[in-house]
Amino acid sequence: PLLHHGGSNIMLGCTLENCLNKFLDAEKVENYFCHRCWHGAALKYLSVTGATETDIEKIKSCGGDDHCDCKTSLHLERMPWSNSYSHILKQLIIARFPKLLCIQVQRASLDMFGESVKLTGHIAFPFVLDLSLFTPSSIGLNIEKIQMSQYQKPETSRNSGMYRLVTVVEHFGRTGSGHYTVYRSVRVASESDEGEEDCDDPCEDLSWFSISDSEVYRVSESDVLGAEASLLFYERL
């Protein structure tokens, strides 16, 4: 969530959309060491210096992970690029629309003394969320230029990224202890509903209930929207 500068309180007027935009923003990572880049530089070095085919093939066939022994086995740990750190940009993307979307609001943090504190404050969230607004094409990334072999592209059909709020979890207390309550939406059917087609409004005819241990009682939509949510569950329409 968006915080007041240097504080543990969430900024007044903070929304779920603000949090998602911040979560998906490009982040500058300092002092980053890329093992894949190291293997590329090592391959060029071995090729120029006339290394054996066995050594070159070892670099080529290596997966380039953090635990390989290429640096020590080929005696390249003293090469200039072996201890070179740089900065990169890291950015998360939404590659597919899940059937059930769970959003956790990170309310646990550390203060300047290293003590665990709870981030307090309200984050406004909608009953209907359009997740398509946060896909790569909507936040300035060209998805065609990103290697997406292990992901699916977000669907482009109408309403494919629309979600309806079904559950809100609220925590009372401090970090490490306290009590959780749940707001749950239920579609209450009546005799007049029999034989009727589904309503176009995803939030119509829904009743909300508060659940706290064995206590269950009906609440209004304003009660739900006023919760300081820790978890939000959205169901895809």
Side-chain angles (χ1 to χ4, degrees):
L2 304 182
L3 305 178
H4 287 291
H5 181 68
S8 59
N9 293 325
I10 296 173
M11 289 183 62
L12 184 65
C14 180
T15 67
L16 179 61
E17 289 81 358
N18 296 148
C19 296
L20 288 173
N21 280 322
K22 182 180 179 182
F23 182 71
L24 297 171
D25 271 348
E27 176 186 359
K28 188 175 182 180
V29 181
E30 299 286 354
N31 297 324
Y32 177 78
F33 182 82
C34 177
H35 289 270
R36 186 176 297 275
C37 295
W38 181 91
H39 281 74
L43 181 60
K44 292 180 181 179
Y45 173 79
L46 293 177
S47 300
V48 170
T49 57
T52 65
E53 288 295 328
T54 302
D55 291 344
I56 293 177
E57 186 60 32
K58 177 178 175 62
I59 291 291
K60 286 183 177 180
S61 60
C62 181
D65 56 36
D66 299 356
H67 306 292
C68 74
D69 63 346
C70 295
K71 188 183 296 186
T72 54
S73 64
L74 298 177
H75 307 290
L76 298 176
E77 59 267 28
R78 294 188 178 181
M79 293 297 101
W81 72 86
S82 290
N83 297 295
S84 176
Y85 291 82
S86 60
H87 64 268
I88 62 168
L89 290 178
K90 180 184 75 172
Q91 187 167 18
L92 302 175
I93 64 171
I94 297 175
R96 67 181 71 180
F97 296 134
K99 184 176 181 180
L100 184 65
L101 175 66
C102 175
I103 300 177
Q104 178 185 7
V105 179
Q106 181 57 268
R107 290 189 176 273
S109 184
L110 297 176
D111 61 16
M112 59 184 299
F113 304 105
E115 298 291 333
S116 179
V117 295
K118 179 181 177 180
L119 304 179
T120 59
H122 182 259
I123 297 176
F125 50 89
F127 278 119
V128 177
L129 175 67
D130 186 0
L131 198 61
S132 65
L133 299 176
F134 305 96
T135 57
S137 59
S138 299
I139 59 175
L141 289 179
N142 186 349
I143 196 170
E144 299 296 338
K145 296 181 180 179
I146 302 175
Q147 293 183 356
M148 301 291 290
S149 58
Q150 57 181 331
Y151 302 105
Q152 298 175 353
K153 295 181 182 179
E155 298 85 342
T156 57
S157 61
R158 187 176 69 89
N159 291 338
S160 61
M162 301 299 292
Y163 286 81
R164 174 176 63 90
L165 182 68
V166 292
T167 304
V168 178
V169 179
E170 185 174 18
H171 176 263
F172 297 92
R174 57 185 182 181
T175 56
S177 63
H179 178 70
Y180 286 96
T181 61
V182 175
Y183 294 97
R184 183 72 171 92
S185 66
V186 178
R187 187 177 298 278
V188 180
S190 62
E191 294 181 359
S192 60
D193 294 332
E194 295 182 1
E196 293 185 0
E197 296 182 356
D198 292 339
C199 181
D200 292 334
D201 188 345
C203 294
E204 192 170 335
D205 297 330
L206 290 178
S207 296
W208 283 90
F209 291 86
S210 173
I211 305 170
S212 177
D213 292 336
S214 60
E215 296 183 2
V216 180
Y217 54 92
R218 195 165 184 166
V219 295
S220 66
E221 291 185 350
S222 60
D223 292 329
V224 177
L225 294 177
E228 291 192 6
S230 293
L231 288 169
L232 296 166
F233 291 87
Y234 284 87
E235 185 178 63
R236 186 176 173 183
L237 297 175

